[in-house]
Amino acid sequence: MGYRLALVCSAMVLLSISCHAGVTSKYTRVAEPSEEMPLETFPPPAGLNAPEQVHITQGDHNGRGMIISWVTPINDDGSNIVKYWIADSDESTNQSAEASTSSYTYYDYTSGFLHHASIKGLEYDTKYFYELGTGRSTRRFSFTTPPKAGPDVPYTFGVIGDLGQTYASNQTLYHYMSNPKGQAVLFVGDLSYADDHPNHDQRKWDSYGRFVEPSAAYQPWIWAAGNHEIDYAPSIGETQAFKPYNNRYHVPYRASKSTSPLWYSIKRASAYIIVLSSYSAFDKYTPQNSWLESELKKVNREETPWLIVLVHAPWYNSNGYHYMEGESMRVTFEPWFVENKVDIVFAGHVHAYERSERVSNIKYNITDGLSSPVKNPSAPIYITIGDGGNIEGIANDYTYPQPSYSAFREASFGHALLEIKNRTHALYTWHRNQDDEPVIADSLWVKNRHFLPEEEETLSGDSSA
């Protein structure tokens, strides 16, 4: 009797596994291209030589540095200086840093003067004010440094990808900004979409910088580069890849011993963030491959238990758009991710939303025929969040039936929050752009792979709205 009961129970378990299917949301958004906001929507700030397009990012590996970047039309005396001080201190005790200054040309465009100041030795978990500009054109901003790294330090990241500068992009950005929880943004690539315009209209890089300034000047955006940052256009004489992006957006790549700003790492609170480049060489013996191999060995999960990776091209994607474009990188790096128990991989590129199960596909070889992803508790969750609202519109060509590796998917725009609570749990929520409010359409308590490698369960969401 006990043997028969065991067989019945085993059959029920197998049936529950084989019948498990992911969710394809019934919510439908119009697939036509989004309407881009015109250039005049974002005029330069008032004042002679006023600093503009202000944005910040972490400036070192540990969180005590900040890179402050801005643009001025003229390179006057003092226009490359940033003054900064602790918010509750006497302003007379402020400090200053001098920025490096450059400009670039692209086809028939010459940029303004691009200033990048690196501030070091900041106090942890402290609010600072900073000022740019001179005379009546002075502008003041603020930021808060992260807490010192530690396993139970709570911290909340926003997650955005493929933003662009459409009216839908505007919804995404201001929905994110309306929630006071976000402390820094993980951005998975595709910023301005200047290359979607004739001759890669570089004015769109300026308007994009003004567009995101209300957030990016006050909290760090951790940048990954996408295909729309390549800007390789030999037909108009532009053969230097990533030229506008690398000139405008500086990151602390040298602090993690990287040889390129396209791949690097930072520690922030209880998270270790690794940024990779989908559009740089990554096979064996390449700089990116060698760097990642050594970088993963440096991660101390007792200090920073949450290991998060940013790429642009997704590795697990059930959308017909860009299907399997990340396959070569997956084959190269997935065994390392499983071995090192990466918690989450965020990607963009596909202009829709999708979250995977914890799966891996690392056993395939030409003789055994094992070529399907299988559940693996040591594997990351793969999240495609290229749904920021860009000019190219929604990707709504999902494959059917929904693959077993796909847990939830929806063809609409939005952003996400990752609220790290402690060393074992983080609350992940995806917020759909619906009318005038961000609606939580997908949510999950994520369990840390190092400290609590248990299976997660999806929380209730508004997937049918």
Side-chain angles (χ1 to χ4, degrees):
M1 180 67 180
Y3 175 70
R4 289 181 179 177
L5 181 60
L7 285 176
V8 170
C9 290
S10 297
M12 290 177 67
V13 169
L14 289 172
L15 184 63
S16 68
I17 293 173
S18 62
C19 291
H20 172 75
V23 174
T24 299
S25 172
K26 297 177 182 178
Y27 182 82
T28 302
R29 186 183 178 97
V30 177
E32 64 189 23
S34 305
E35 184 181 355
E36 189 153 89
M37 293 179 285
L39 287 169
E40 54 268 24
T41 307
F42 304 105
L48 177 65
N49 205 36
E52 60 167 284
Q53 304 174 49
V54 182
H55 56 274
I56 62 176
T57 194
Q58 185 162 314
D60 65 355
H61 196 252
N62 298 321
R64 294 189 63 192
M66 196 73 76
I67 296 173
I68 300 175
S69 302
W70 68 99
V71 181
T72 58
I74 307 169
N75 194 24
D76 274 349
D77 288 344
S79 61
N80 65 333
I81 301 297
V82 55
K83 298 176 182 178
Y84 61 99
W85 62 93
I86 294 175
D88 58 0
S89 68
D90 186 341
E91 189 175 329
S92 64
T93 64
N94 65 21
Q95 299 175 270
S96 64
E98 183 176 347
S100 64
T101 300
S102 63
S103 64
Y104 73 93
T105 59
Y106 192 99
Y107 188 53
D108 59 353
Y109 168 92
T110 300
S111 74
F113 290 92
L114 312 174
H115 309 285
H116 303 280
S118 185
I119 299 173
K120 306 289 186 182
L122 301 171
E123 299 294 327
Y124 284 117
D125 201 15
T126 300
K127 182 176 180 179
Y128 284 81
F129 287 113
Y130 68 99
E131 278 189 353
L132 306 170
T134 58
R136 295 183 179 180
S137 299
T138 300
R139 300 182 68 199
R140 179 179 294 186
F141 306 90
S142 65
F143 62 80
T144 300
T145 54
K148 185 178 181 180
D152 291 306
V153 177
Y155 201 80
T156 299
F157 293 98
V159 190
I160 300 174
D162 299 66
L163 185 59
Q165 44 194 309
T166 70
Y167 290 101
S169 313
N170 195 58
Q171 271 193 324
T172 299
L173 179 62
Y174 281 88
H175 283 169
Y176 169 69
M177 291 173 59
S178 70
N179 190 328
K181 293 180 179 179
Q183 296 170 275
V185 172
L186 304 178
F187 193 88
V188 295
D190 284 0
L191 285 70
S192 72
Y193 285 79
D195 64 340
D196 269 350
H197 297 270
N199 300 320
H200 295 227
D201 188 350
Q202 295 296 291
R203 296 175 301 168
K204 301 302 290 188
W205 278 104
D206 292 319
S207 58
Y208 178 84
R210 296 169 190 146
F211 166 49
V212 300
E213 184 187 87
S215 174
Y218 294 91
Q219 59 178 244
W221 285 40
I222 311 305
W223 303 102
N227 57 299
H228 286 280
E229 279 69 74
I230 298 174
D231 277 307
Y232 177 77
S235 63
I236 56 174
E238 294 297 340
T239 57
Q240 181 183 336
F242 299 101
K243 184 179 183 180
Y245 172 76
N246 282 338
N247 274 280
R248 292 174 180 270
Y249 292 88
H250 283 197
V251 297
Y253 69 97
R254 292 187 179 91
S256 57
K257 310 302 181 185
S258 169
T259 57
S260 169
L262 302 176
W263 57 88
Y264 63 99
S265 72
I266 61 168
K267 292 191 296 186
R268 197 164 185 88
S270 49
Y272 202 104
I273 312 296
I274 293 178
V275 178
L276 297 178
S277 174
S278 297
Y279 305 101
S280 302
F282 49 76
D283 286 337
K284 193 173 182 179
Y285 307 123
T286 63
Q288 184 171 202
N289 185 291
S290 299
W291 175 84
L292 180 60
E293 184 177 22
S294 62
E295 184 65 20
L296 287 169
K297 297 174 184 176
K298 300 175 185 177
V299 182
N300 177 6
R301 303 296 281 274
E302 299 296 316
E303 180 191 37
T304 50
W306 294 94
L307 181 52
I308 299 166
V309 177
L310 311 184
V311 297
H312 187 64
W315 295 2
Y316 286 94
N317 163 38
S318 66
N319 203 304
Y321 288 91
H322 304 305
Y323 182 63
M324 294 189 78
E325 286 187 15
E327 182 67 2
S328 295
M329 181 178 263
R330 182 197 67 76
V331 170
T332 303
F333 290 149
E334 187 179 28
W336 295 354
F337 283 19
V338 173
E339 178 185 353
N340 289 276
K341 298 185 177 181
V342 171
D343 290 292
I344 303 175
V345 177
F346 288 110
H349 202 37
V350 177
H351 302 157
Y353 173 74
E354 185 165 17
R355 172 175 57 83
S356 80
E357 304 284 359
R358 290 196 182 275
V359 294
S360 69
N361 190 4
I362 58 177
K363 294 185 177 181
Y364 174 77
N365 65 51
I366 199 167
T367 58
D368 62 25
L370 298 173
S371 59
S372 297
V374 296
K375 283 197 171 185
N376 188 331
S378 295
I381 296 172
Y382 294 90
I383 295 175
T384 300
I385 192 158
D387 55 357
N390 66 86
I391 192 174
E392 295 175 354
I394 283 290
N396 62 352
D397 185 25
Y398 286 121
T399 58
Y400 288 91
Q402 186 169 356
S404 60
Y405 60 76
S406 176
F408 182 90
R409 58 188 188 176
E410 179 175 310
S412 60
F413 294 135
H415 74 278
L417 288 178
L418 180 66
E419 302 176 50
I420 297 174
K421 303 297 185 181
N422 51 41
R423 72 182 67 194
T424 59
H425 286 81
L427 177 61
Y428 171 79
T429 53
W430 176 64
H431 302 251
R432 172 202 303 142
N433 287 358
Q434 185 185 53
D435 301 323
D436 294 326
E437 298 180 3
V439 175
I440 296 178
D442 184 36
S443 57
L444 181 77
W445 275 108
V446 183
K447 297 179 181 178
N448 183 267
R449 293 300 93 186
H450 180 76
F451 281 105
L452 191 65
E454 299 177 355
E455 187 171 358
E456 295 102 343
E457 293 185 6
T458 303
L459 302 174
S460 59
D462 184 30
S463 63
S464 62

